[in-house]
Amino acid sequence: MYSIENHCLTITLSRDNHQLARQFSLQQDSVEKGKQVYLNTLAVCAVQSFLDWMGIETELNQGDSWNSVVRCFHNVADLVIPSVGKLECRPVLPGETVITLPPEVTEDRIAYIAVQFQEQLNEVQLLGFYPAIDPQSPTEELKITNLQPIEALIDYLNRLESALDFFQSNDPVAEKVKTRLIEQPLTAIIAEFKRIYHTYSKDEWRYAGAEFLANAAQEGIAWRGGNREDNSNNDEWQDLAEELLNKLDEIWNEGTDVVAETKVTNQPLPQPMINAEFNTIPPRIY
């Protein structure tokens, strides 16, 4: 479990971070793509450093952004938290007020973290995060003003983790959902129900939840798009959605006051300042 108490997080980027970003960028076939990969890599490294400092395990090599083939063809900056899901670490350039979300990063992300860059690339700032977006109508951009404080991220991860523990139990409601949605990853199911939990009133849970369950359960049809028969008015789906959200409500309410021993302070992250030669994006990229 995790905890954080802070309002402004500045992450110092190391020489190794820049060397890795340069290595990945030089594999691209254009200057513009190289710049994109360079910044994406630094954004992932910054978030990974923060989570590592917090004692949160990550699997850097398992993300799409660390796959040489995927990053050549897609604009991805994901970081895997084992058994919880993928965070998308989106670079924010000076003057930008929105975060652009390419289609490839809207399908299986548990949250989006805004990583603010300045003209000098010796450090970045984590502006905040946005939870999983609606899979039925994915957005193309997020306003920075709509981000949640970065200090709420750890509680958000705690709640996803506690829900995962519930799904891995022998609870009959959890078993029924897993059986019906056998093709869908648990992390995606949990992230969507977390979104429904906070987006809709309790009276609306059964309907919003039923829509998701019915769509996700249809075999052979992409659960985030495409044509599908609407079975969300089925009483069975609605009852199951309501039962599940009531169970999660009990779990998440109980976890509200849970605080881990590790806390973030206003002290800078224990990383070396980068060498002067890495203060800006290399000419080939910039």
Side-chain angles (χ1 to χ4, degrees):
M1 305 295 282
Y2 323 122
S3 180
I4 176 172
E5 292 180 355
N6 198 25
H7 296 283
C8 183
L9 284 172
T10 298
I11 311 295
T12 300
L13 295 169
S14 72
R15 180 188 180 90
D16 287 345
N17 294 156
H18 280 268
Q19 287 177 331
L20 188 60
R22 173 177 285 180
Q23 175 187 333
F24 288 173
S25 69
L26 292 175
Q27 297 169 356
Q28 311 312 309
D29 59 5
S30 72
V31 172
E32 189 62 28
K33 180 62 177 177
K35 177 182 176 181
Q36 177 192 99
V37 169
Y38 196 98
L39 294 176
N40 285 349
T41 303
L42 290 182
V44 173
C45 287
V47 175
Q48 193 272 339
S49 295
F50 164 62
L51 294 179
D52 182 63
W53 188 48
M54 286 296 298
I56 301 174
E57 182 183 358
T58 60
E59 292 183 345
L60 195 62
N61 296 334
Q62 297 304 307
D64 292 337
S65 59
W66 248 245
N67 183 305
S68 60
V69 175
V70 175
R71 67 172 173 260
C72 281
F73 295 98
H74 297 288
N75 182 1
V76 290
D78 61 321
L79 177 62
V80 175
I81 299 179
S83 301
V84 179
K86 291 182 178 181
L87 295 171
E88 183 68 21
C89 315
R90 299 308 303 175
V92 178
L93 298 179
E96 291 184 338
T97 59
V98 297
I99 305 166
T100 301
L101 300 182
E104 56 264 36
V105 307
T106 62
E107 294 193 0
D108 62 351
R109 304 305 196 252
I110 59 174
Y112 302 85
I113 300 179
V115 183
Q116 176 74 69
F117 285 84
Q118 302 300 332
E119 293 299 331
Q120 299 297 311
L121 298 183
N122 60 321
E123 62 184 25
V124 296
Q125 187 176 55
L126 304 188
L127 299 181
F129 82 100
Y130 196 91
I133 60 178
D134 186 351
Q136 307 305 325
S137 55
T139 182
E140 295 181 355
E141 61 182 29
L142 301 171
K143 293 182 179 180
I144 292 177
T145 54
N146 290 337
L147 295 176
Q148 295 187 24
I150 195 66
E151 59 263 31
L153 174 64
I154 306 305
D155 180 66
Y156 177 76
L157 295 177
N158 283 341
R159 289 169 182 264
L160 294 184
E161 189 176 47
S162 63
L164 183 63
D165 291 339
F166 165 72
F167 271 97
Q168 293 174 337
S169 70
N170 295 322
D171 185 275
V173 175
E175 289 299 318
K176 184 180 291 187
V177 172
K178 287 190 294 185
T179 300
R180 296 294 184 87
L181 272 63
I182 193 170
E183 299 296 327
Q184 308 305 334
L186 283 179
T187 54
I189 296 171
I190 293 168
E192 174 58 11
F193 273 96
K194 186 71 169 64
R195 186 192 67 81
I196 292 171
Y197 179 79
H198 282 290
T199 303
Y200 295 90
S201 68
K202 194 166 186 176
D203 292 339
E204 297 172 315
W205 282 354
R206 64 182 284 114
Y207 307 109
E211 182 180 7
F212 167 72
L213 290 174
N215 289 334
Q218 292 191 43
E219 296 183 0
I221 300 177
W223 67 291
R224 288 181 179 269
N227 297 320
R228 41 168 92 82
E229 181 182 354
D230 184 7
N231 295 314
S232 59
N233 290 325
N234 185 302
D235 287 342
E236 185 178 2
W237 284 123
Q238 293 179 8
D239 290 343
L240 179 57
E242 186 172 33
E243 286 181 306
L244 176 58
L245 282 160
N246 284 334
K247 291 274 189 178
L248 294 175
D249 184 37
E250 294 176 8
I251 295 169
W252 288 333
N253 276 332
E254 290 175 354
T256 300
D257 298 324
V258 175
V259 178
E261 294 182 359
T262 304
K263 298 179 184 295
V264 174
T265 66
N266 289 320
Q267 298 299 317
L269 292 179
Q271 296 177 333
M273 292 292 290
I274 63 172
N275 187 281
E277 67 179 291
F278 295 109
N279 274 350
T280 56
I281 304 176
R284 181 186 182 279
I285 305 303
Y286 196 52

